[in-house]
Amino acid sequence: MGDTISTDAEIFIAKFSSYVDLSEAEIRVIEELTRDCMAFDENQDIIQESEKNASAYLLQSGWAIRYKIVPNGGRQIISFLLPGDIFGFRESLFDLSDDSVQALTPVRVHRIPAEKIADICDNSTNLSLALTWARAREQAILMEHIVRLGRRNAYERLGHLLLELLHRLQLVDKAGRSDYFLPLTQEVLADTLGLSIVHVNRTLRKLRNDRMIELDPQTRRLKIIDQEALSERAGYDQTFLDQSALTQDCVNDAVG
Amino acid sequence: MGDTISTDAEIFIAKFSSYVDLSEAEIRVIEELTRDCMAFDENQDIIQESEKNASAYLLQSGWAIRYKIVPNGGRQIISFLLPGDIFGFRESLFDLSDDSVQALTPVRVHRIPAEKIADICDNSTNLSLALTWARAREQAILMEHIVRLGRRNAYERLGHLLLELLHRLQLVDKAGRSDYFLPLTQEVLADTLGLSIVHVNRTLRKLRNDRMIELDPQTRRLKIIDQEALSERAGYDQTFLDQSALTQDCVNDAVG
DNA sequence: CGGGTCGTTGAGCCGGGTCAAGCTGGGTGG
DNA sequence: CCACCCAGCTTGACCCGGCTCAACGACCCG
């Protein structure tokens, strides 16, 4: 993550620009939104369970997770929040949302009060569309996670997740061609994939032995050696992430 | 489902009314939207994989599933679509959405072209909010499904799902106090819960033996004998479905 | 130097999968 | 009206992927 970003707005401008043409004014709006910023430490909660908080957040840097605790004490990680992601809007609609968002690494976010969101959406179809698109994409990722949990074995789950993270990070320029910084403990992987820590450990070993990945537990650098082979083996199809798949036709239809 | 609905609009009006106050004009919009209607037979696809179709659907009657096929031939059911549900909007944003929607029973839907959606949202904050809320709720259900698959055993998964369906059906007046018509084969349950057919069968038997449920495979009538006990046993908390949890504060914030 | 967090490995067990067979009831054609 | 078929349900026997328990190792930090 040693890249240099001149302003915090850049990552969001780049992300949105890949599927809509932003005007000068819209770019200025984004720059204003990203002017002030909140920092969270590792393991600190960003949104607490049952917090009534009508605002959204732009994730500037670092990794976060959305998770729920089940009655018997277990934790299920629902999704990863990566730089460039937007979150927290849905929660604001419910009095009680029983999921929480927590920083996995030091994190920087930009908070957007709900009234500002409404204001922005009213005044810019492009930005309104961007928000709609971000939510649609988030939903596609959740659906893929359901398939991963329901119909894949441990080896496939791990391979599939590692590929998804690679591609999501690449879209925001936070990964190399085949490697990235993976700040996850084996416990976090286990709680994401519905597996035990021990089995995650053994499955990672298998992936290493098969020369699918290289992972240095010290530096936390993950390298996917053969994306093609791993995609095949894990049943990975990155269609669900493609933002280029948004056609201008659809855009026009959707905004009327 | 022998209830009498004077017009198709009623179910949606009732649903939306539970968290926003609809104006006369908005009610007329809904009535117009539900004027014409498409019918699908059992097992017929409503939205095909990779269909580029910029429209949304209101589900009037019947059950449908959203699912994906995995490379090795398995099927994962991602969600159930019940009367009163809205679907198909997200798909319209992507060129390729790799999930499909299929009727489980005979189904009636109202199709809404994308430009009409945009038009409606522009002219009614209430209806725009309703759409936003419906999406948020759908996402909450997906998240709960992830927890179910990742951190619960077969017994809990089944119990949890049967309770969720009861409560969702009750909200649209399609279930009794503790029983409903469940048009699902054990294969459908298996593909939803990430289990094998055989194990679903045995687990249903356990639920019956424990006097948690009664289920007649012929009539397909399911009765949940002790909701309290089953909720406890399955770790079920219906918070994630509560629409009353939408506070007026939030509404005001969200629409600015 | 001691404690804490995370990773690693072995041994044994069990929840749930697989395979295979039989059952049941409704639908269809002769 | 019966014979057959077929989809869905049921049950038994066996197996295996993944879990649990337990111990140990490696590193970091105070």
Side-chain angles (χ1 to χ4, degrees):
Chain A
M1 319 230 260
D3 51 339
T4 55
I5 292 186
S6 59
T7 126
D8 277 0
E10 237 175 66
I11 187 174
F12 299 101
I13 293 171
K15 191 168 188 177
F16 296 167
S17 294
S18 65
Y19 55 94
V20 291
D21 284 323
L22 296 174
S23 69
E24 259 306 312
E26 285 159 345
I27 287 177
R28 259 179 284 116
V29 169
I30 296 175
E31 274 172 345
E32 195 224 308
L33 287 177
T34 53
R35 189 140 301 150
D36 57 304
C37 149
M38 303 163 66
F40 292 88
D41 281 339
E42 217 168 309
N43 296 327
Q44 206 178 342
D45 274 2
I46 300 173
I47 302 179
Q48 307 248 7
E49 175 173 347
S50 87
E51 178 178 349
K52 197 175 90 184
N53 183 340
S55 47
Y57 299 85
L58 299 177
L59 180 49
Q60 179 67 47
S61 66
W63 288 45
I65 50 173
R66 182 194 302 282
Y67 68 94
K68 286 195 191 194
I69 300 296
V70 292
N72 62 301
R75 172 180 68 163
Q76 177 63 44
I77 293 175
I78 293 164
S79 59
F80 290 103
L81 304 171
L82 306 180
D85 283 349
I86 303 171
F87 65 96
F89 185 71
R90 180 189 53 82
E91 288 84 342
S92 70
L93 289 178
F94 292 90
D95 209 3
L96 286 170
S97 78
D98 58 343
D99 58 307
S100 309
V101 174
Q102 188 180 63
L104 273 185
T105 68
V107 149
R108 290 198 306 129
V109 301
H110 309 285
R111 185 168 172 280
I112 312 177
E115 59 272 18
K116 195 153 221 166
I117 302 174
D119 185 43
I120 291 167
C121 288
D122 285 348
N123 293 313
S124 158
T125 30
N126 270 342
L127 293 179
S128 171
L129 182 67
L131 183 58
T132 296
W133 180 83
R135 284 192 285 216
R137 181 169 176 276
E138 188 182 349
Q139 194 174 325
I141 291 171
L142 290 181
M143 287 170 35
E144 197 57 39
H145 194 31
I146 287 173
V147 176
R148 193 156 52 203
L149 289 168
R151 280 287 171 256
R152 299 191 212 274
N153 62 28
Y155 194 97
E156 295 162 347
R157 286 183 210 181
L158 250 174
H160 194 278
L161 176 64
L162 296 177
L163 286 165
E164 178 191 313
L165 291 173
L166 171 64
H167 292 140
R168 285 176 62 188
L169 289 169
Q170 281 175 341
L171 289 176
V172 288
D173 214 28
K174 297 286 183 190
R177 173 176 285 277
S178 65
D179 65 316
Y180 56 99
F181 174 67
L182 180 77
L184 309 183
T185 64
Q186 295 183 354
E187 183 176 12
V188 168
L189 286 170
D191 287 350
T192 303
L193 297 174
L195 300 169
S196 67
I197 301 178
V198 173
H199 201 61
V200 166
N201 182 292
R202 291 196 234 266
T203 307
L204 280 172
R205 165 160 309 284
K206 248 180 244 169
L207 283 162
R208 264 188 263 116
N209 286 345
D210 291 352
R211 301 292 305 148
M212 291 292 190
I213 63 170
E214 274 167 8
L215 175 57
D216 180 348
Q218 247 51 57
T219 68
R220 299 246 120 114
R221 197 85 200 165
L222 174 81
K223 182 178 163 67
I224 296 180
I225 297 171
D226 188 343
Q227 281 186 59
E228 187 95 20
L230 186 53
S231 298
E232 169 71 23
R233 192 69 206 295
Y236 181 81
D237 173 0
Q238 78 179 100
T239 306
F240 73 99
L241 281 182
D242 281 352
Q243 41 189 327
S244 56
L246 191 74
T247 64
Q248 199 53 41
D249 267 11
C250 288
V251 172
N252 290 336
D253 284 353
V255 300
Chain B
M1 319 231 254
D3 51 337
T4 54
I5 291 185
S6 61
T7 125
D8 277 0
E10 237 175 68
I11 186 175
F12 299 102
I13 293 170
K15 191 168 189 179
F16 295 168
S17 294
S18 65
Y19 55 95
V20 292
D21 284 323
L22 295 175
S23 70
E24 260 306 313
E26 284 159 345
I27 287 177
R28 259 180 283 117
V29 168
I30 295 175
E31 274 172 347
E32 195 222 307
L33 286 176
T34 53
R35 190 140 301 152
D36 56 305
C37 149
M38 302 163 66
F40 292 88
D41 280 340
E42 218 170 307
N43 295 328
Q44 206 178 341
D45 275 2
I46 300 173
I47 301 179
Q48 307 249 5
E49 176 173 347
S50 86
E51 179 178 348
K52 198 175 89 184
N53 183 340
S55 46
Y57 299 86
L58 300 177
L59 181 48
Q60 180 67 48
S61 66
W63 288 45
I65 50 173
R66 184 195 301 283
Y67 69 95
K68 285 196 192 195
I69 300 296
V70 291
N72 62 301
R75 173 179 69 162
Q76 177 63 44
I77 293 174
I78 293 163
S79 60
F80 290 103
L81 304 171
L82 306 181
D85 283 349
I86 302 171
F87 65 97
F89 185 71
R90 182 189 52 83
E91 289 84 342
S92 70
L93 290 177
F94 292 89
D95 208 2
L96 285 170
S97 78
D98 57 344
D99 58 307
S100 309
V101 174
Q102 188 180 65
L104 273 185
T105 68
V107 149
R108 290 197 307 129
V109 302
H110 308 285
R111 186 168 171 280
I112 311 176
E115 59 273 17
K116 194 151 219 165
I117 302 173
D119 184 45
I120 291 167
C121 289
D122 285 349
N123 292 314
S124 158
T125 30
N126 270 342
L127 293 179
S128 170
L129 183 67
L131 182 58
T132 296
W133 180 83
R135 284 192 286 216
R137 182 170 177 276
E138 189 183 348
Q139 194 174 326
I141 292 172
L142 290 182
M143 287 170 34
E144 197 58 37
H145 194 29
I146 287 173
V147 176
R148 194 156 52 202
L149 289 169
R151 279 286 170 257
R152 299 192 211 272
N153 63 27
Y155 195 96
E156 294 163 347
R157 285 184 210 181
L158 250 173
H160 194 277
L161 176 65
L162 295 177
L163 286 165
E164 178 192 313
L165 291 173
L166 171 65
H167 292 139
R168 285 176 61 188
L169 289 168
Q170 281 175 341
L171 289 177
V172 287
D173 213 28
K174 298 284 183 191
R177 174 175 284 276
S178 65
D179 65 317
Y180 56 100
F181 174 67
L182 180 76
L184 308 182
T185 63
Q186 295 183 354
E187 183 176 13
V188 168
L189 287 170
D191 287 349
T192 303
L193 299 173
L195 300 168
S196 67
I197 301 177
V198 173
H199 201 61
V200 165
N201 183 289
R202 289 197 235 265
T203 307
L204 279 172
R205 165 161 309 284
K206 247 180 245 167
L207 282 163
R208 263 188 264 117
N209 287 345
D210 290 353
R211 301 291 305 146
M212 290 292 189
I213 63 169
E214 274 167 9
L215 175 58
D216 180 348
Q218 246 52 54
T219 68
R220 299 245 118 115
R221 198 85 200 165
L222 174 81
K223 182 177 163 70
I224 295 180
I225 298 170
D226 188 343
Q227 281 187 58
E228 188 96 20
L230 186 54
S231 298
E232 169 71 23
R233 193 68 207 299
Y236 181 82
D237 172 2
Q238 78 180 99
T239 306
F240 73 100
L241 280 182
D242 280 353
Q243 40 190 326
S244 55
L246 189 74
T247 64
Q248 198 54 40
D249 268 9
C250 288
V251 172
N252 291 336
D253 284 352
V255 300

